[in-house]
Amino acid sequence: MDRKSKWPLGFGAVLLILFGHMTSALDVPLDLPQPPTITLQSPKDYIFDPRENIVIHCEAKGKPHPSFSWTRNGTHFDVEQDSKVLMKPGSGTLVIDISGEKAEAYEGTYQCTARNEHGTAMSNNIVIRQSRSPLWSKERHEAIIVQVGVSLVLQCRPPAGLPPPVIFWMDNIFRKLPLNERVSQALNGDLYFSNVLPEDTRSDYTCYARFPHTQTIQQKQPISVTVLDMDTLNETVAAFYNITDFYSDSPAGERRPGFMAPLGSSSTKMVLRGETLELECIAEGLPTPEISWLKEGGELPTNRMSFTSFQKTLRITDVTNADAGDYRCTAKNNLGSVHHIIKVTVQAAPFWISAPRNLILAPNETGILTCRVDGEPKPKISWSVNGVPIDNAPQDHSRKVEEDTVILSSVQTGSSAVYQCNASNEFGYLMANAFVSVLAEPPRVLTPSNNVYQVITNNPALLDCASFGSPIPTITWFKDSQTSIQNGDPYVIHENGTLEINVAQPLNSGKYTCIATNNLGIKENHVYLEVKEPTRILKQPEYKEVQRSRNAVFECKVKHDPSLIPTMTWLKDSGELPDDERFVVDTDSLTIKDVTDVDEGTYTCVMNTSLDQDSASAMLTVVEATPTPTIAYEEPDPPTDLELTDQRERSVQLTWIPGDEHNSPTERFLVQYEDLLHKPGTWVNLTEVQGTSTTAQLSLSPYVYYSFRVLALNHVGYSRPSQPSRQYRTNPAAPDHNPSNVQAVGTEHNNLVISWMPLSGLQSNGPGLQYNVQWRQKEVDEEWSSETVANVTQYVVSGTPTYVPYEVKVQALNDYGSGPEPEVLLGHSGEDLPLAAPESVQVMVHNSTLAEVHWEPVLSSSVRGKLQGYKVYYQRERSLYGAELEAGEEHQVLSFSGNRSEGRLPGLKPYSVYNLFIRVLNNKGEGPPSPSKSFETPEGVPGPPSFLKVINTNIDSLTLEWGPPVSNNGRLTGYTLKYQPVNNTNELGPVEFMTFPANESTITLMNLKSSTLYKFYFNAKTIKGSGPFITEEAFTIMDTNRIQPTVDMGKGPTEPPHPTSPITQSPRPPFHNVPPIGPAFSPVNTSVAEDGTVISWEYFGHLKNVFVEYTVENSKEDWKKELVNGSHSYTIKGLKPGTSYRVRVVARDQADSTVHSTEEVVVAVPAVPSRQVDIATQGWFIGLMCAIALLILVLLIVCFIKRNKGGKYPVKEKEDAHQDPEIQPMKEDDGTFGEYRSMESDTEDHKPLKGSRTPSNGTVRRDESDDSLVDYGEGGDGQFNEDGSFIGQYSGKKEKDTHEGNESSEAPSPVNAMNSFI
């Protein structure tokens, strides 16, 4: 891919403007009085075409407008007296009508004069000459006969014209004669042959002269040239002169080079400075010599030098004095070489070193006119004033002439004039006008106000401030009306007031004010500069190798200044794109659809704005189509060409070019930075931008040596990091931030520790980072105390009073200043333990478990710190019901935050004695305790009985045993028992209620139902009420007649009901577990049915979640579960025959824990089901047997045919047997079966041929010969396909018969078809 250099469009114009700023003469506004100035004149040498009018230009400006007059050949030319001459109104331009007149009459030297009351200006001497194109002189050319190999010159000698004609040689059909190293045209027009060859023979060598002004061509008489070898030449001359030998018998052989022009070993050449030097060397010889050039004692000017006419002419343009010297041309062939020296001298017509310039002078000022010229020979300088030689002009004592200088001292109003300087030598002259205008004029700015200048970043910017005033104003510049601009990098203020910014940057954008000042006044003007981002192609088109008929896509993603309107143009091979709808130009791409070979070439995208452009190219190669490769997705390539622009103190713009996306679009870019000053080697994430962006505006910190890199992310992952950007250093500055997390706390009772989070190196903003720590006691009239520290994160103030408020602040500072004013924070000095204890402690008991305590808060001065609250310590000493508690019960503690005076004590034990005391609390610790205070809690309801269990279960009775509550919470008054039966239909029976005295622990319940579940609820009570219930369940013993109930398939027992009374069941003690009374399940019965194994049971429990579980015997597999709920039978399906299974029935609770379970039963699934299936009656078996039988039949037929001579039918034997008189030999010419023309002669055989098909009516047609085509598989109704497959086989066999003897035809259908199939 080619990347063309970027060139701002306006750069050349900028250079021209800059040059104009340096060289342009001072312009006087036309509304002010001024002498004439010539603005337009014809060239010094004016050659006119006699067919057109003569126009001699002379334009001038001045105030008042000047009048014009002319001289011709040094005398006054009265324009009004010649009707053919017209002077344009308001101008000095002459138009001379030469139609019908002799143009020669108006040839001569003309000079224009423009004058007004302030002076006279003169034009150059304009020489007027008529263009001439004379005819060729009559001449007769003899035919030229030359020997092969000799040199030859054909002279042209054109007529002298004005200007000189252009010479070229042609033949008689106007074709240019071919020129080469052997044949060349000299500068004078002659045609040179270094050696002639027989093919040079022709009779139409014609020289033509074209005269440029008249556009006419003159033709010379043709020249005939005949080239003969030696034998032919002798015969020709002998016949003509009647002599035997004209030339030697030896032909012209090879020879050393010799010069044909110029002649001799040396020559001279004079050229004028600034003109073009042409040196010529033409050599003869055989073989044709080669010409080379060198300059003796110097180098050829390669940048101004060129060779023409096959190295025979050396051309040097814009000659300087350094081009003088000796030039050597060398002619060389294999026999030797020859040299010629051309001595070049350089003369010079007068040329300007410093032309005189207009002077604007205020009264009493002094001015100088200089007229510095050079030339060779040295020019002579003469001065005139208002067109009169200065020696003949009125004497002026303020004027002094010194060769090329005129000094004007203390000029006065009214002394304005135009001075002419004339410098001449033998090669020409120079003449210039320069006026001196004496004015007193306040300054004025000529540049339009509020001009907006736009320039691309890193290019020069020129802001004009053209001004006028007399005296000449002094120009000063300001930026944004504040900053004075001085000469120096990056600014340059030129003499004409133009402000130049050498390398414009975005920070140079803004408003500029130029002020023009002289002693008569002041004038200002405002202009604006906008520095734009350069246009850059970020993703350039890449080389494409595309298969034919595929699409080619060239991307060209461009970044440009958003304020400029871009225009993208695509070129093919530097020309316009073909006018073809296959070429689709999008915003940032070119798509070529269905590419062909003609689409190959170089494609260039050019992005233009009004200020600059960028371009990039890539080639397209079209190749043959190949299989489409698999698309590979990879991480993107790292970005490249990181560039920093828009550089400011606290920000910079980073630009990059994305890498190859590898078929996955970029999602975003991650910009990282390295701080080479503070943390070298550590890359930190700075910002992220979208994947469609290629720029990021980065916020920076002072005093950091930044280096940036960019990573690209697509759906595959992150790219490798780009190469780091160039280092960007930000200038140091005062800190922007103060330390954070400032705290002021005391660690001891007499200190204050001020701590903070220090600034990072990135936040320091400069060297010499320190912290100014300030503090003072609040609400005390004292000044701030301060201390400046470095490299620490805290400062300790000693000798402070205990726990008093302080105001503190911490300010960052470095060598470049202090950070912002810090925030004042409040802190306290260190704390000490409290001195006093709470007083007047009172306790109010609300109930058996809750009391409320009150106290008198301590004085704040005695806290000696921040009051955190109060701690109440209380302890149960004993129960009022029994003896003292065991020793070691710890105090319980409740904390009450803040300045409280009361608190509640929950969770007390009923019927107990407590004592308590209180301490005050601050951050340092606790104060002394208050005096102890005792209180009692009243009785409460008791806890649940310690246990309840069922013993001695019978058919109609059982015994309950219980233990007293662990916590009586008072004096027990007795127990309460409630119980009720639960039947199989979830119905609850009547509730029975019983009470017992506190000293009993057992009871036997009589007259209960057998085999019935009973639910028991039991609790204790005091005078405060009943405690919580504990519950238990138990069955009475079942009647032996119901142990093995009859199983009814599909039905089962109803689950006993759960208790529905709103009674809270108390938790059982961990040591008490009541087992179920009697079996919950009857024995499990099993049987094998047609569709699976049937399991049946009887369940007498109350749980709903009943499962049938089974697993393979002697395996470690998990049990499989089937939920059956209220059923009492279940069929297990899908068991493997011949496998034994373990089966059980389980009742589970809500936590999926097993409560009731049967014993495991082993079930053996038989290998052959008890119900046998007759396979002979199965449809699949019958179909399989039929298929096998059919296959066997086909195989037998094939074997039979193969044994019968490979399945062939003996045609020859049939022919011998029948001896049919109508059998004719086969006609090979038409390809028909001639021997079977008639099929009706044989009617003996009524049987069909083996293998032929019988008609559907069961009869066999007998109206055809036995030896019919049926015998060959061709007979029968519709036996063969329409494609004639049999005919092809048969005719093929017949052809084979002619070569191989007696062979039979193919076997008849359907065996043929079967053979083909097999």
Side-chain angles (χ1 to χ4, degrees), residues 774-854:
Q774 302 178 63
W775 70 93
R776 69 179 178 185
Q777 190 173 338
K778 189 179 180 183
E779 299 175 355
V780 176
D781 188 12
E782 66 178 21
E783 296 295 328
W784 287 91
S785 301
S786 66
E787 188 72 28
T788 300
V789 295
N791 301 320
V792 295
T793 60
Q794 70 176 29
Y795 180 75
V796 180
V797 181
S798 303
T800 62
T802 301
Y803 198 67
V804 295
Y806 275 86
E807 293 178 324
V808 298
K809 55 184 180 180
V810 181
Q811 185 179 31
L813 66 155
N814 60 21
D815 294 347
Y816 288 81
S818 300
E821 182 63 26
E823 179 184 358
V824 177
L825 299 173
L826 186 63
H828 286 80
S829 58
E831 302 182 23
D832 206 347
L833 294 177
L835 294 175
E839 298 178 350
S840 304
V841 177
Q842 300 293 328
V843 178
M844 181 184 301
V845 179
H846 288 285
N847 54 44
S848 62
T849 60
L850 177 65
E852 186 173 325
V853 60
H854 292 259

Side-chain angles (χ1 to χ4, degrees), residues 505-739:
Q505 297 295 326
L507 56 86
N508 298 129
S509 298
K511 175 183 176 182
Y512 289 80
T513 303
C514 76
I515 299 177
T517 308
N518 67 9
N519 56 6
L520 299 178
I522 184 171
K523 186 69 175 178
E524 70 176 32
N525 188 48
H526 305 292
V527 295
Y528 297 88
L529 175 62
E530 295 177 356
V531 181
K532 306 293 186 180
E533 293 181 16
T535 301
R536 295 183 60 205
I537 296 178
L538 300 180
K539 186 171 183 58
Q540 306 174 20
E542 298 177 347
Y543 170 78
K544 297 289 183 182
E545 187 175 277
V546 181
Q547 301 174 16
R548 290 190 189 92
S549 302
R550 298 290 182 90
N551 292 348
V553 179
F554 290 105
E555 289 187 285
C556 187
K557 294 184 178 180
V558 180
K559 169 185 168 293
H560 62 88
D561 192 281
S563 64
L564 300 178
I565 299 176
T567 302
M568 177 173 285
T569 304
W570 284 91
L571 306 175
K572 180 180 184 292
D573 297 330
S574 300
E576 294 184 356
L577 288 178
D579 186 11
D580 191 334
E581 62 183 8
R582 295 184 301 111
F583 290 78
V584 179
V585 177
D586 207 345
T587 305
D588 52 8
S589 65
L590 167 65
T591 301
I592 308 172
K593 299 180 179 179
D594 193 20
V595 298
T596 63
D597 291 339
V598 298
D599 297 328
E600 282 194 340
T602 300
Y603 290 84
T604 305
C605 74
V606 182
M607 176 59 71
N608 289 289
T609 66
S610 57
L611 296 180
D612 67 342
Q613 76 169 34
D614 196 8
S615 64
S617 300
M619 287 190 63
L620 171 64
T621 301
V622 181
V623 298
E624 292 287 346
T626 58
T628 303
T630 303
I631 298 177
Y633 298 95
E634 300 177 8
E635 299 91 348
D637 287 344
T640 58
D641 293 355
L642 272 63
E643 182 179 346
L644 298 174
T645 59
D646 194 12
Q647 300 172 4
R648 308 194 180 196
E649 286 292 328
R650 296 295 183 95
S651 68
V652 70
Q653 181 170 275
L654 178 64
T655 304
W656 60 88
I657 295 177
D660 192 332
E661 295 179 333
H662 293 296
N663 303 310
S664 177
T666 301
E667 297 174 1
R668 61 181 180 269
F669 292 100
L670 172 64
V671 180
Q672 298 179 328
Y673 74 90
E674 177 188 17
D675 183 356
L676 298 170
L677 179 63
H678 302 104
K679 288 186 178 181
T682 301
W683 289 92
V684 181
N685 294 346
L686 181 59
T687 187
E688 287 186 342
V689 297
Q690 293 296 320
T692 56
S693 178
T694 56
T695 61
Q697 193 71 29
L698 307 179
S699 297
L700 307 179
S701 298
Y703 194 52
V704 179
Y705 295 174
Y706 283 101
S707 183
F708 302 100
R709 70 182 188 185
V710 184
L711 293 85
L713 175 68
N714 63 13
H715 87 280
V716 180
Y718 277 101
S719 70
R720 300 188 311 278
S722 68
Q723 290 297 317
S725 70
R726 63 178 176 84
Q727 190 180 116
Y728 185 72
R729 299 187 178 187
T730 52
N731 295 324
D736 294 326
H737 307 283
N738 287 315

Side-chain angles (χ1 to χ4, degrees), residues 69 84 91 193 260 298 343 350 380 691 724 734 815 854 859 864 1034 1145 1173 1201:
S69 62
K84 294 292 185 177
S91 167
F193 295 80
M260 304 172 70
K343 298 181 181 295
K380 178 182 178 182
D815 294 347
H854 292 259
L859 296 176
R864 299 204 298 179
V1145 183
V1173 178
I1201 297 301

Side-chain angles (χ1 to χ4, degrees), residues 43-70:
K44 294 178 182 179
D45 193 5
Y46 180 11
I47 300 175
F48 66 89
D49 187 342
R51 297 169 297 180
E52 299 176 354
N53 290 339
I54 302 172
V55 179
I56 311 175
H57 292 285
C58 181
E59 306 285 346
K61 66 177 182 179
K63 183 71 172 182
H65 191 72
S67 60
F68 298 89
S69 62
W70 286 88

